[in-house]
Amino acid sequence: MDSELKEEIPVHEEFILCGGAETQVLKCGPWTDLFYDQSVKRPKLLIFIIPGNPGFSAFYVPFAKALYSLTNRRFPVWTISHAGHALAPKDKKILKTSEDSNAQEIKDIYGLNGQIEHKLAFLRTHVPKDMKLVLIGHSIGSYFTLQMLKRVPDLPVIRAFLLFPTIERMSESPNGRIATPLLCWFRYVLYATGYLLFKPCPEKIKSFLIRRVLQVINLENEFSPLNVLEPFCLANAAYLGGQEMMEVVKRDDEVIKEHLCKLTFYYGTTDSWCPKEYYEDIKKDFPEGDIRLCEKNIPHAFIIRFNQEMAGMVADSLKDDLSKIGNPSWHYHSLRTMRCPSPQNLKPPDERFSSDLLPTLWWKNQISRD
């Protein structure tokens, strides 16, 4: 399996301008352009991975490859970096779309709210509106996933996986109690230290250090993750982390209730970011939900050594949903979607979205294309 994943599965790297920020997108599978591909072979579904923090998409390639293989290579698996967490190499072209060039830059794009809008902007400009979606959020990516569903409830999502979800009480968690003072009170000390240590460091030395660390933790990576030691990216990761500690406090039960039938929560037994009591609380509040507790002692940072196990869990859970894709009698309002009736799914955004530019643009975009 490992040699198969390495040699035969194509992964295409792109750097795009999204919402005014350089963004790395890693596309697993032969499809590199879904928006303008009108061929009959164009897939009907996209599996979209939203990483944790730091949002280095390169670290998720082994997971994406395993998932692509376990879903019989029928559907593209794309991973997006967070805004400001990836910089294009000097010799790499940054792609732009006409829609993104004309769009307004996202306010505070490196912060919590901006990162959510950033992911929605990508879907709006790079994914056809009728393409079904499977969202996979890891850690704070789970919070982004829930907020995306809340802001644009018309997204054609048939399933969303929230892996080791940091969706509540982050500063109260064991790791949060340590991270909060560092990220909120001593953030500028971290910035200065990062710049002093890594800004003058030659890229060859950075590359050597990263390769050595990846070897030690046994993490294979075919894309150079130099951004791990890039002061600009580290500062943005710390900035986002500080906002997480301050703003990710109360679990959004309203959006969970509305989309519960599409959601799969996966908690760890030894996770210091979302401890077991968080699993017990949400399981008690939503007993009918697909809320699971890991029985394999997989850590929060599963991308280091447990890509195959997590990909297997996701692929197995998707079997029924994916088997219906391509069936002419199965419109995007699948049985799973129809279990979550909401009048919002039948109406354009109302005044509650008046301050959110993107959902309104999304709706207008849909109307103009129909």
Side-chain angles (χ1 to χ4, degrees):
M1 171 65 78
D2 290 342
S3 60
E4 177 185 336
L5 294 180
K6 273 193 231 176
E7 298 172 8
E8 298 182 15
I9 296 180
V11 180
H12 177 72
E13 179 187 41
E14 286 183 357
F15 282 89
I16 64 171
L17 192 68
C18 182
E22 290 182 29
T23 305
Q24 184 187 44
V25 183
L26 296 174
K27 302 179 176 182
C28 190
W31 308 277
T32 59
D33 188 345
L34 298 177
F35 206 84
Y36 296 103
D37 181 1
Q38 301 300 324
S39 69
V40 294
K41 294 184 178 180
R42 192 190 79 179
K44 300 182 184 300
L45 177 140
L46 170 66
I47 300 175
F48 190 56
I49 300 173
I50 304 172
N53 185 15
F56 301 138
S57 52
F59 287 161
Y60 290 81
V61 170
F63 172 65
K65 281 187 168 185
L67 185 56
Y68 177 72
S69 180
L70 290 170
T71 52
N72 298 320
R73 308 185 179 208
R74 293 176 57 203
F75 309 103
V77 182
W78 290 5
T79 308
I80 187 171
S81 72
H82 293 327
H85 292 210
L87 291 176
K90 295 178 182 178
D91 59 345
K92 194 79 173 179
K93 183 179 179 181
I94 300 176
L95 305 177
K96 300 178 183 179
T97 67
S98 57
E99 289 195 37
D100 193 75
S101 300
N102 296 328
Q104 293 184 2
E105 291 190 2
I106 297 172
K107 183 179 179 181
D108 191 23
I109 194 169
Y110 305 136
L112 199 66
N113 178 71
Q115 296 289 359
I116 299 164
E117 299 289 347
H118 171 258
K119 309 305 177 290
L120 288 170
F122 174 82
L123 292 177
R124 179 172 57 85
T125 54
H126 290 81
V127 179
K129 68 180 181 65
D130 60 344
M131 179 161 287
K132 302 173 184 69
L133 297 170
V134 170
L135 302 182
I136 302 177
H138 173 222
S139 192
I140 194 61
S142 300
Y143 178 84
F144 294 162
T145 298
L146 287 178
Q147 292 303 308
M148 290 165 67
L149 290 171
K150 183 175 184 176
R151 297 182 187 196
V152 188
D154 300 282
L155 279 175
V157 175
I158 65 168
R159 195 74 174 271
F161 292 86
L162 311 181
L163 309 179
F164 306 95
T166 52
I167 57 175
E168 60 174 311
R169 294 177 282 176
M170 285 195 67
S171 64
E172 298 177 23
S173 67
N175 280 354
R177 286 193 289 268
I178 298 171
T180 298
L182 290 174
L183 296 173
C184 298
W185 305 338
F186 301 108
R187 177 158 54 97
Y188 293 102
V189 175
L190 293 178
Y191 291 174
T193 303
Y195 273 91
L196 290 173
L197 285 176
F198 300 124
K199 193 62 177 178
C201 187
E203 287 196 1
K204 288 184 178 180
I205 296 178
K206 290 181 184 178
S207 181
F208 171 77
L209 291 173
I210 292 171
R211 284 199 307 270
R212 291 296 298 166
V213 171
L214 293 179
Q215 289 174 0
V216 169
I217 64 177
N218 195 30
L219 179 62
E220 298 177 1
N221 206 302
E222 61 193 85
F223 298 96
S224 176
L226 280 176
N227 294 311
V228 173
L229 297 181
E230 175 57 51
F232 173 77
C233 299
L234 292 174
N236 287 327
Y239 175 66
L240 175 61
Q243 290 198 359
E244 292 173 29
M245 298 304 117
M246 293 184 291
E247 297 183 31
V248 182
V249 180
K250 189 177 184 300
R251 191 180 66 210
D252 195 332
D253 287 349
E254 181 181 346
V255 68
I256 292 174
K257 182 178 180 180
E258 182 177 351
H259 297 280
L260 186 62
C261 57
K262 304 177 192 175
L263 303 176
T264 294
F265 296 84
Y266 194 86
Y267 284 84
T269 53
T270 58
D271 192 343
S272 295
W273 281 113
C274 39
K276 188 178 176 181
E277 66 181 270
Y278 292 9
Y279 158 79
E280 293 170 346
D281 290 344
I282 192 172
K283 187 71 174 176
K284 180 181 178 182
D285 293 338
F286 298 97
E288 71 280 16
D290 185 8
I291 303 169
R292 312 179 191 182
L293 185 66
C294 177
E295 298 177 352
K296 301 178 181 179
N297 289 323
I298 297 177
H300 185 88
F302 73 87
I303 54 174
I304 295 179
R305 296 187 182 182
F306 294 91
N307 293 294
Q308 195 67 35
E309 291 83 350
M310 292 303 297
M313 184 278 294
V314 172
D316 187 62
S317 301
L318 279 174
K319 280 182 180 178
D320 289 342
D321 292 305
L322 299 187
S323 66
K324 301 182 182 76
I325 302 295
N327 183 347
S329 65
W330 193 69
H331 194 249
Y332 102 43
H333 289 296
S334 64
L335 178 61
R336 179 173 297 278
T337 307
M338 293 300 288
R339 290 175 191 161
C340 298
S342 171
Q344 292 176 329
N345 292 335
L346 304 175
K347 298 178 181 180
D350 55 25
E351 65 277 5
R352 291 177 303 145
F353 297 109
S354 59
S355 62
D356 294 327
L357 176 64
L358 186 59
T360 304
L361 287 175
W362 182 290
W363 180 265
K364 288 181 179 178
N365 206 26
Q366 288 186 354
I367 297 299
S368 63
R369 288 179 187 162
D370 288 340

